[in-house]
Amino acid sequence: MQEPKTYFIRTYGCQMNELDTEIMAGQLQKRGLTPSLDEENADLLIFNTCSIRDLAERKVMGKLGRMGRGDKKNSIIGVTGCMAMAKKDSLFRKFPHLDFVIGTNNITDLSHALDEVIHTKRQVFKTDDRFEENLDYLAAKRDHTVKAHVSIIRGCDKFCTYCVVPYTRGQEVSRPPESILEECKKLVDSGYKELTLLGQNVNSYGKDQPEWNCLFHDLLYKIDNIPGIERVRFLTSHPIDITRELMEAIRDLPSLCEFVHFPIQAGSSRILRKMHRIYTKEQYFEKVALLREIVPNVSLGTDIIVGFPTETEEEFQETYDAMREIRYSVAFIFAYSPRKGTPAMRWKDDIPEEIKLDRLQRLMNLQEKIMNEERSQMLGNTYEVLVERFNKDGKLLKGRTRCWKKVIFEGDASLIGTLPLIQVHSFSHQTLIGELNQIAESSPHCLSKEMQEVYKAGSLPVKR
Ligand code: SF4
């Protein structure tokens, strides 16, 4: 087998997987490989997989199966990510043409695995349970030039009964603050304007390392101190770990955006208990109320599962009512599908598919209505937008508000990476449409804390 010259990585699932892809791409480019846009003909093809949903797994299995029927050519083919952890070496039995399987804790071994495949022509399999910490984050090949993901904690100790993550990504391991700060500084110095701190549950940061004396909100204060940092976001949170200190940090830190992913999952306390979410509906509502009291202009996102085993129509209605009351800005809504290896797999998947789909549709309709009302209220207001790139049409620029609303507007490439003020005049589907407006009547709460001061002083520059 020859040293590959080109590679293609197909990424499924969450932002953590996207970051892992960037880290693997960094290793491959260090080794001299160049990225290819041609999945069929790349010398090295990697499927960086996700096991959270059945559909994502079936897509990969289908692709791997088709390759075994003749598409293999001379490529080296590997599977990484959560499916590698969940299915381990059984993947080799099902797909004998696979060359390597590398788990989420071993992506740092990618180059060694390639050496082994090339020199021994044997299948290589590495899936350690404990996270190996020597990941070369700094060598990651970033997809964006304006915003970047930064991993701060890996794994999850919550063990929600429907979720494979604690089994595929292992227990929580926080990354040392010095290492995070070094990466953040390098990214800011090289022009990145927005950093998203990643983890399955970022709010647990530092709890596994009490001697660091650095919990999540402490880390946020340190990151906010980096000269030149514009925006910080974080993903994702477990409601139980969202503390008052974190809420105050969102209120007080200029860089920290007023958007919190705050996944409720279900509106019924009985279903929440069955999911092992360790909060009741009432406790969840109390936290949301406290967050809105401390940060009145905060926007919320959520994840929701409908059709969890034994969910009654009345319990579904509680979820519906919770969504209507809380009014999330973003909601990722899914129909339950059992995942192998999880405790919920023991229970009968007893909600018929058509009922799950009906519940899903009702929530999606409600969410669409809420988002349209929210967008209507934004018309005429002015927002600070971080310009990320050209939109798909290649003509309009695309960016996001601090509250994570997508905005498109006319402008030239020199605006990419800046934070102009955009007045919204209309919207289409999920996108706000606006125009550059330096002097419009603004909604000051939609600006960063620093920009509110600038606005009050009467000058509204484009920040570069
Ligand atoms: S908090 Fe629950 S849903 Fe989230 S990753 Fe951990 S186990 Fe999965």
Side-chain angles (χ1 to χ4, degrees):
M1 204 168 269
Q2 286 182 349
E3 173 72 27
K5 291 192 172 56
T6 58
Y7 72 89
F8 182 97
I9 308 179
R10 165 112 11 229
T11 311
Y12 299 85
C14 65
Q15 288 84 353
M16 195 62 107
N17 258 15
E18 285 169 17
L19 178 58
D20 284 351
T21 289
E22 291 176 350
I23 293 168
M24 289 193 284
Q27 289 181 44
L28 295 173
Q29 291 188 31
K30 237 183 187 176
R31 196 184 164 104
L33 277 77
T34 51
S36 164
L37 296 175
D38 182 358
E39 180 173 349
E40 301 293 318
N41 293 306
D43 299 336
L44 167 64
L45 178 55
I46 298 176
F47 295 96
N48 191 14
T49 60
C50 169
S51 281
I52 294 259
R53 315 263 164 232
D54 190 40
L55 183 65
E57 268 198 12
R58 276 192 280 132
K59 274 188 194 162
V60 179
M61 299 295 256
K63 263 189 177 276
L64 286 170
R66 283 194 296 282
M67 295 191 145
R69 287 198 288 273
D71 279 359
K72 168 118 169 63
K73 301 182 185 151
N74 293 318
S75 311
I76 296 175
I77 302 179
V79 170
T80 59
C82 288
M83 223 172 99
M85 296 302 280
K87 302 204 178 291
K88 304 214 164 178
D89 53 349
S90 73
L91 284 167
F92 289 137
R93 286 197 288 284
K94 201 159 171 102
F95 307 109
H97 52 286
L98 257 187
D99 296 296
F100 62 86
V101 172
I102 294 182
T104 50
N105 295 330
N106 294 86
I107 57 172
T108 193
D109 294 329
L110 175 61
S111 212
H112 295 137
L114 270 180
D115 285 339
E116 231 176 300
V117 168
I118 293 165
H119 296 124
T120 67
K121 299 183 179 54
R122 280 205 298 267
Q123 291 174 314
V124 174
F125 168 66
K126 292 176 193 282
T127 57
D128 292 347
D129 286 334
R130 176 91 191 161
F131 178 52
E132 206 276 290
E133 288 173 15
N134 302 323
L135 267 185
D136 193 358
Y137 291 103
L138 297 180
K141 286 291 160 215
R142 307 280 174 177
D143 208 25
H144 273 266
T145 52
V146 174
K147 55 183 194 171
H149 293 144
V150 176
S151 170
I152 65 162
I153 180 169
R154 288 187 167 245
C156 182
D157 293 347
K158 289 290 185 287
F159 290 94
C160 302
T161 53
Y162 52 83
C163 181
V164 289
V165 167
Y167 312 98
T168 58
R169 292 219 169 239
Q171 68 189 93
E172 285 168 359
V173 183
S174 299
R175 181 177 167 200
E178 304 74 40
S179 164
I180 297 170
L181 289 170
E182 186 195 354
E183 185 182 2
C184 291
K185 275 189 199 124
K186 286 222 162 100
L187 288 167
V188 171
D189 289 348
S190 36
Y192 284 90
K193 295 290 190 296
E194 180 178 297
L195 306 182
T196 300
L197 310 180
L198 288 187
Q200 263 72 39
N201 179 18
V202 286
N203 315 102
S204 281
Y205 179 80
K207 288 184 183 172
D208 57 323
Q209 303 286 347
E211 67 282 6
W212 291 352
N213 208 9
C214 183
L215 295 175
F216 183 50
H217 62 273
D218 299 315
L219 180 70
L220 290 169
Y221 280 87
K222 289 179 202 285
I223 292 175
D224 184 71
N225 254 332
I226 296 174
I229 194 147
E230 290 284 358
R231 284 186 179 183
V232 176
R233 300 184 186 278
F234 55 87
L235 265 181
T236 183
S237 307
H238 190 293
I240 206 79
D241 293 323
I242 296 182
T243 58
R244 177 180 269 276
E245 288 86 348
L246 172 60
M247 298 176 192
E248 289 170 352
I250 299 170
R251 181 193 61 198
D252 296 339
L253 296 180
S255 65
L256 199 52
C257 292
E258 299 78 12
F259 175 84
V260 181
H261 192 64
F262 206 138
I264 188 172
Q265 301 295 2
S268 142
S269 291
R270 187 188 75 85
I271 293 292
L272 287 170
R273 195 165 56 248
K274 207 170 163 63
M275 288 176 163
H276 192 247
R277 288 294 288 176
I278 49 181
Y279 52 84
T280 61
K281 175 172 86 175
E282 291 72 25
Q283 287 165 334
Y284 180 90
F285 270 73
E286 274 168 27
K287 267 213 176 160
V288 168
L290 183 63
L291 175 59
R292 285 192 162 149
E293 186 190 317
I294 294 175
V295 192
N297 59 331
V298 73
S299 288
L300 300 180
T302 193
D303 297 331
I304 290 181
I305 298 172
V306 295
F308 196 69
T310 74
E311 181 190 65
T312 63
E313 174 59 26
E314 291 70 32
E315 286 166 338
F316 164 73
Q317 195 59 46
E318 287 188 76
T319 304
Y320 188 94
D321 292 344
M323 263 185 85
R324 194 170 47 190
E325 199 170 320
I326 291 173
R327 298 181 67 82
Y328 298 101
S329 295
V330 184
F332 300 97
I333 309 165
F334 304 96
Y336 171 74
S337 65
R339 309 306 303 126
K340 216 169 159 192
T342 61
M345 189 78 191
R346 293 196 305 267
W347 303 318
K348 192 170 168 216
D349 181 19
D350 60 348
I351 309 299
E353 219 46 40
E354 62 273 20
I355 293 187
K356 284 184 191 169
L357 292 181
D358 175 61
R359 291 177 184 172
L360 185 74
Q361 196 55 53
R362 280 149 70 193
L363 286 192
M364 286 179 22
N365 292 347
L366 172 63
Q367 184 59 21
E368 186 62 26
K369 183 169 170 286
I370 291 169
M371 292 196 308
N372 281 339
E373 286 167 4
E374 191 182 28
R375 286 188 204 109
S376 301
Q377 284 164 2
M378 295 173 84
L379 297 181
N381 290 344
T382 300
Y383 297 86
E384 178 196 274
V385 171
L386 173 59
V387 187
E388 295 173 1
R389 50 172 62 168
F390 278 103
N391 199 29
K392 277 193 206 114
D393 63 9
K395 294 183 194 133
L396 298 174
L397 289 169
K398 182 196 117 177
R400 291 211 182 246
T401 65
R402 287 175 66 88
C403 294
W404 212 59
K405 288 272 181 292
K406 181 178 161 191
V407 183
I408 55 173
F409 64 99
E410 264 183 36
D412 61 57
S414 69
L415 287 171
I416 293 173
T418 67
L419 293 113
L421 294 172
I422 303 295
Q423 187 175 31
V424 172
H425 55 69
S426 54
F427 63 86
S428 124
H429 193 50
Q430 305 214 350
T431 305
L432 297 166
I433 306 166
E435 59 189 8
L436 255 180
N437 194 337
Q438 306 282 322
I439 50 167
E441 277 294 306
S442 180
S443 302
H445 70 274
C446 304
L447 302 178
S448 67
K449 289 115 189 169
E450 187 192 350
M451 286 297 282
Q452 288 177 35
E453 295 307 315
V454 175
Y455 175 76
K456 280 184 212 147
S459 86
L460 298 170
V462 173
K463 295 166 81 186
R464 289 181 192 269

